[in-house]
């Protein structure tokens, strides 16, 4: 029996000691993993991230609506949290989590698998190219946003105070009947326009920060490497969140229009919504909710990346042990 030191490849036995009963499994596509394993790792990471940080996401949604089209004065994170706990209890922070549970897994499976395939293609000859990482991130977000946007619409409508919907199924049914299937994708263009630069900044920052931290301690133990992934992810998430907050405000306004007294817009034009926000609240209205958005994305990215990298490591070891057994 002969094996290669790398888990990604195996040495095929020479003809004189080849046994017909030994089968060779398909080679992993990239980084020692198969495509399906990237999808599983991404799905796990997305679910853990969004479930853990969902209450902060609810606060962000409330703050982006309050002071905007609902004609209520802007409030701080502490005021928003205190009001929610007083009026709705802890359960209010988790309204809509079912919709995110249904959407986050599939969307992140697509997100990370497309990213890994794109990164393998674009970084040929230059594995440390920030531009290649950014472009790969854009490809990933355009495809994953098509999966997550409908459930994100449902999630945000359920997060609103006094939401008229009883739950995920009721919201989906009523939106389809009252507004049509197009309502689920009115914010898709805005989501892509927001997430393309968000993901470009996020992935480029993450890969650069991870590379820098790994150079400081190249022989890190596995637990130290987990800290590296979490730290790089937190930095990437915070920076990307701050840069793209205005577009996130626009997305929230489009997804919640007509619900709980919020304004309806004549079109899904980003420019029209921005003008409406600036007219009512000035340019500071475009940064509404930036604090909870950063408080969400910094730890969320840390959780997501560390979970994703840990899942990849698990599969790499699994593939290696299967290779040795063969």
């Amino acid at each position: 029996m002969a094996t290669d030191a790398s888990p990604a490849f195996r040495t095929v036995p020479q003809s004189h000691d080849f046994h017909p009963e030994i089968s060779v499994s398909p080679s992993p596509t990239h980084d020692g993993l198969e495509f399906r394993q990237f999808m599983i790792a991404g799905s796990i990471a997305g679910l853990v991230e969004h479930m853990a940080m969902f209450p902060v996401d609810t606060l962000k949604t409330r703050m982006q609506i309050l002071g905007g089209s609902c004609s209520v004065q802007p409030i701080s994170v502490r005021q928003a949290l205190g009001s929610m706990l007083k009026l709705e209890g802890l359960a209010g922070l988790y309204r809509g989590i079912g919709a995110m549970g249904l959407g986050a897994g599939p969307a992140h499976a697509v997100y990370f698998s497309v990213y890994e395939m794109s990164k393998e293609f674009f970084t040929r000859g230059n594995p440390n190219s920030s531009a290649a990482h950014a472009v790969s991130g854009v490809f990933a977000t355009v495809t994953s946003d098509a999966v997550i946007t409908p459930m994100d619409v449902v999630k945000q409508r359920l997060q609103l105070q006094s939401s008229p919907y009883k739950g995920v199924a009721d919201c989906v049914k009523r939106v389809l009947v009252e507004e049509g299937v197009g309502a689920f994708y009115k914010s898709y263009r805005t989501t892509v326009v927001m997430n393309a630069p968000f993901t470009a900044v996020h992935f480029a920052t993450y890969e650069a920060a991870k590379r820098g931290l790994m150079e400081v301690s190249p022989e890190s133990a596995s637990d130290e490497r987990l800290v590296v992934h979490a730290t790089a992810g937190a930095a990437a998430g915070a920076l990307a969140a701050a840069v793209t907050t205005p577009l996130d405000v626009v997305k929230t306004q489009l997804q919640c229009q007509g619900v709980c007294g919020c304004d309806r817009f004549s079109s899904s034009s980003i420019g029209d919504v921005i003008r409406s926000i600036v007219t009512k609240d000035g340019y500071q209205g475009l940064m509404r909710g930036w604090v909870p958005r950063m408080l969400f994305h910094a730890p969320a990215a840390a959780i997501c990346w560390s979970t994703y990298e840990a899942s990849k490591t698990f599969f790499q070891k699994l593939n290696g042990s299967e290779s040795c057994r063969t």
Side-chain angles (χ1 to χ4, degrees):
M1 180 180 70
T3 58
D4 192 283
S6 169
F9 303 94
R10 285 199 307 277
T11 303
V12 178
Q14 300 298 319
S15 57
H16 61 272
D17 59 358
F18 179 79
H19 299 283
E21 70 274 15
I22 297 178
S23 61
V24 179
S25 60
S27 298
T29 58
H30 166 63
D31 216 11
L33 299 183
E34 297 176 11
F35 179 77
R36 61 183 175 82
Q37 292 173 323
F38 283 124
M39 296 191 74
I40 295 170
S43 181
I44 294 171
L47 284 170
V48 172
E49 168 198 357
H50 284 283
M51 297 302 102
M53 298 305 300
F54 193 83
V56 184
D57 184 64
T58 300
L59 281 175
K60 182 213 65 148
T61 297
R62 292 287 183 92
M63 290 182 69
Q64 289 181 337
I65 288 296
L66 293 176
S69 55
C70 291
S71 301
V72 179
Q73 289 301 311
I75 59 176
S76 68
V77 175
R78 180 180 295 182
Q79 288 173 320
L81 178 59
S83 176
M84 286 190 65
L85 291 176
K86 182 179 179 180
L87 297 175
E88 305 167 60
L90 192 62
L93 293 169
Y94 289 92
R95 279 185 59 85
I97 195 170
M100 185 48 61
L102 290 172
H108 279 73
V110 172
Y111 185 82
F112 281 106
S113 56
V114 171
Y115 173 70
E116 293 287 358
M117 289 190 299
S118 300
K119 185 173 74 169
E120 181 187 19
F121 178 80
F122 288 115
T123 58
R124 288 176 180 173
N126 185 8
N128 295 327
S129 171
S130 294
H133 296 147
V135 172
S136 300
V138 172
F139 273 89
T141 197
V142 170
T143 51
S144 65
D145 282 345
V147 178
I148 193 66
T149 295
M151 283 295 102
D152 193 46
V153 171
V154 174
K155 182 263 296 182
Q156 288 205 308
R157 292 191 177 203
L158 289 171
Q159 285 176 322
L160 297 178
Q161 184 176 1
S162 303
S163 173
Y165 308 107
K166 298 177 182 178
V168 175
D170 179 57
C171 184
V172 171
K173 179 180 178 180
R174 288 179 57 180
V175 170
L176 283 173
V177 172
E178 297 169 10
E179 303 173 53
V181 69
F184 290 113
Y185 282 95
K186 280 186 177 180
S187 65
Y188 178 65
R189 180 172 56 183
T190 305
T191 302
V192 170
V193 170
M194 174 187 71
N195 282 342
F198 176 95
T199 309
V201 172
H202 187 125
F203 278 107
T205 303
Y206 172 75
E207 296 285 358
K210 182 179 71 171
R211 186 166 63 251
L213 291 169
M214 294 292 281
E215 287 174 356
V216 173
S217 181
E219 301 300 326
S220 300
S222 58
D223 57 338
E224 292 175 330
R225 287 178 180 269
L226 189 64
V227 173
V228 166
H229 296 311
T231 304
L239 179 60
V243 170
T244 58
T245 292
L247 288 169
D248 191 54
V249 173
V250 172
K251 177 182 75 74
T252 298
Q253 294 287 330
L254 284 171
Q255 291 187 166
C256 297
Q257 60 180 311
V259 183
C260 297
C262 297
D263 287 346
R264 284 192 176 277
F265 300 96
S266 57
S267 72
S268 57
S269 166
I270 297 173
D272 288 345
V273 179
I274 288 177
R275 281 190 289 272
S276 176
I277 293 171
V278 171
T279 298
K280 289 190 173 186
D281 302 310
Y283 287 101
Q284 68 269 23
L286 294 173
M287 292 302 294
R288 195 182 305 118
W290 72 272
V291 173
R293 179 167 164 77
M294 288 186 68
L295 290 175
F296 173 87
H297 280 288
I303 293 169
C304 186
W305 277 112
S306 55
T307 303
Y308 178 64
E309 297 287 359
S311 299
K312 282 176 60 177
T313 300
F314 169 78
F315 284 125
Q316 286 166 343
K317 290 179 178 178
L318 181 64
N319 290 344
S321 64
E322 289 178 348
S323 174
C324 290
R325 284 198 300 270
T326 305

